[in-house]
Amino acid sequence: MTNIDSLITSLADTAVPVRRLRPPLARASSWFIFAALVILSLAVLKGLHHDLALRLARREFIVELVASLVTSFGATLAAFYVSLPDRSPFWALLPVPGLVLWAFAMGFGCYADWIRLGPSGFILGTSFECLAFIVLSTVPLSAALLYLLRHAVAVRPISTTILATLSVAALAGAGQSLTHHSDTTLMILVWHAGTTGLLLAIARLLGPQFLRKVVSRPAPAATSLRTALK
Amino acid sequence: MTDFSPLDIKHVCRREASLTAPPDNWGCLMARAQDGDRYAYRALLTAITPYIRALARRALRDAADIDEVVQDVLLTLHEIRHTFDPNRPFAPWFATIARRRIVDRVRFNANHTAQKMASTAALLTETPSGTGEPHQEEQERLCEAINALPARQRRAIELLKLRGLTLREVSQQTGMSIGSLKAATHRALKTLRRLLSE
């Protein structure tokens, strides 16, 4: 009996019934609602902005908020689809329209600041508070989402990791905008987009390794399967 | 869970799964395997193995590599079999898994070969740092190992690694194609590594 025959026998003999995954849309929606509630709770705990009602009346603010939520939901849905072997990898493009709208809204916000405040609207301060909020909420939520998508390690680990991180970072950005105390859009743009970019870069570097750890899968062919089977 | 009940599956699938099940039956077999039908699962794995092997052969030459990648695909399919949706075709699901594992294997081999070639080349061109006996012994072992190589591999190693000629120069000198030279060097380094680590 060859190694492959004995592997087939051992896999078949130990096969137990498995729970099939629910449709990706249902799973993505459940996750999005859960993550949105977590981020909202964190924002409330941190303290909502004192004139949030006034901000919500501003069209630019609403467009920004909606764009980040659309990006987040698009990325969540894309992550759930891309993680499945029989779905098209082009699902990864789903968050792009949301991202474009978000970038456009931010750019328009910068322009509006310039008109409204003049050169003082272009002051770039530091916002470590913003960075801390996004990082501290994104890292654990991304890890939890990647755990849900751990089956992606065998097929598309990189795109799944990036999409999962983008989905949570965009949601955290939306939550942060409810609490943000600095008013210039440039500052928000730099700190939100900068933090999101940093998190995506980290996800690109470490995400696949994290997924491999979660499913205890060695790097491709790092361990001889033949040896393991003997 | 999808709303695909085991009863539907039984209705659609053959009752007796054959060990040489045709591809159009694979989805049904996988659906039954997801419900814990070990006979169907065995039939499916047996039926798809030649296809995996054929896919692997297109990208890999070494028989051991092909065997390992076939096992890797089977293990991966086993690990993520819950992601198969019986309402969708089996072929794209299976093909993506097989292709990804084969591509990963090819990448791993390429990196591994580059590393091994670099370290063996360093060993071959190392200048003695001391005059002790162990170094001389190592050199003798290396010479013996090189002499034990098949003629084509020995020639490739001598010209490329010891005399430091380029692939093009060696190709002109020996009449071997660059592809054959690379393959011969790879095999020679593999054998040398094995012989020297014994």
Side-chain angles (χ1 to χ4, degrees), chain B residues 82-141:
Chain B
H82 62 289
T83 63
F84 174 65
D85 178 355
N87 293 311
R88 296 178 62 81
F90 178 80
W93 182 83
F94 163 61
T96 306
I97 295 173
R99 255 200 322 266
R100 289 303 319 177
R101 302 318 305 154
I102 292 168
V103 167
D104 278 359
R105 179 76 201 193
V106 170
R107 279 190 193 143
F108 172 81
N109 277 1
N111 292 340
H112 201 56
T113 307
Q115 278 173 12
K116 277 202 297 189
M117 284 182 85
S119 59
T120 312
L123 181 69
L124 290 170
T125 54
E126 201 174 55
T127 48
S129 53
T131 51
E133 258 183 42
H135 188 80
Q136 201 180 339
E137 245 178 54
E138 258 178 33
Q139 276 189 333
E140 280 169 11
R141 280 188 65 206

Side-chain angles (χ1 to χ4, degrees), chain A residues 1 3-5 7-9 11-23 83-87 150-157 212 215 217-227 229, chain B residues 1-2 4 9 30-36 38 41-42 45-46 49 53 64 67-68 70-72 74-76 78-86 88-89 92-93 96-97 100-101 104-105 108:
Chain A
M1 192 183 252
N3 282 330
I4 292 173
D5 292 334
L7 174 65
I8 290 174
T9 307
L11 293 180
D13 289 349
T14 54
V16 288
V18 288
R19 276 191 63 176
R20 293 186 189 104
L21 292 178
R22 287 190 301 140
S83 69
L84 296 172
D86 56 347
R87 304 296 178 142
R150 60 194 179 279
H151 50 266
V153 69
V155 278
R156 299 182 190 113
R212 258 185 226 118
V215 295
R217 172 181 275 276
T223 314
S224 165
L225 292 168
R226 283 175 300 162
T227 316
L229 282 168
Chain B
M1 296 274 279
T2 60
F4 203 91
I9 296 161
M30 180 46 105
R32 283 170 59 179
Q34 286 176 320
D35 291 329
R38 292 174 179 177
Y41 196 33
R42 193 193 165 106
L45 297 180
T46 308
T49 297
R53 196 179 283 282
D67 261 12
E68 284 200 9
V70 170
Q71 292 175 40
D72 192 14
L74 291 174
L75 280 171
T76 305
H78 179 75
E79 280 168 12
I80 63 169
R81 65 192 188 282
H82 62 289
T83 63
F84 174 65
D85 178 355
R88 296 178 62 81
W93 182 83
T96 306
I97 295 173
R100 289 303 319 177
R101 302 318 305 154
D104 278 359
R105 179 76 201 193
F108 172 81

Side-chain angles (χ1 to χ4, degrees), chain A residues 32 36 39-40 43 48 52 55-56 61-62 64-72 102 106 133-134 137-138 166-180 188 192 196:
Chain A
F32 185 75
I39 296 282
L40 188 64
L48 296 175
L52 185 62
R55 281 183 168 203
L56 286 170
F61 181 77
I62 291 291
E64 250 179 67
L65 191 64
V66 169
S68 57
L69 290 174
V70 167
T71 304
S72 172
W102 198 11
M106 290 263 195
F133 182 87
I134 295 179
S137 52
T138 299
L166 175 64
S167 89
V168 182
L171 199 58
Q176 173 63 12
S177 65
L178 301 177
T179 67
H180 217 285
I188 296 171
H192 279 200
T196 305

Side-chain angles (χ1 to χ4, degrees), chain A residues 130-143:
Chain A
C130 164
L131 184 130
F133 182 87
I134 295 179
V135 171
L136 292 178
S137 52
T138 299
V139 171
L141 277 174
S142 295

Side-chain angles (χ1 to χ4, degrees), chain A residues 21-148:
Chain A
L21 292 178
R22 287 190 301 140
L25 179 63
R27 295 170 65 226
S29 305
S30 309
W31 165 264
F32 185 75
I33 292 167
F34 165 75
L37 287 175
V38 171
I39 296 282
L40 188 64
S41 312
L42 289 174
V44 170
L45 280 176
K46 190 177 169 231
L48 296 175
H49 194 258
H50 57 87
D51 62 353
L52 185 62
L54 276 176
R55 281 183 168 203
L56 286 170
R58 273 173 51 205
R59 200 188 315 160
E60 308 91 69
F61 181 77
I62 291 291
V63 173
E64 250 179 67
L65 191 64
V66 169
S68 57
L69 290 174
V70 167
T71 304
S72 172
F73 187 68
T76 309
L77 198 54
F80 275 89
Y81 271 98
V82 162
S83 69
L84 296 172
D86 56 347
R87 304 296 178 142
S88 167
F90 290 110
W91 276 103
L93 299 175
L94 191 65
V96 172
L99 266 176
V100 171
L101 182 66
W102 198 11
F104 176 77
M106 290 263 195
F108 186 76
C110 288
Y111 173 72
D113 282 351
W114 176 263
I115 299 294
R116 192 162 53 96
L117 306 168
S120 58
F122 268 48
I123 293 168
L124 181 63
T126 51
S127 182
F128 291 110
E129 198 188 324
C130 164
L131 184 130
F133 182 87
I134 295 179
V135 171
L136 292 178
S137 52
T138 299
V139 171
L141 277 174
S142 295
L145 180 54
L146 284 176
Y147 181 76
L148 287 180

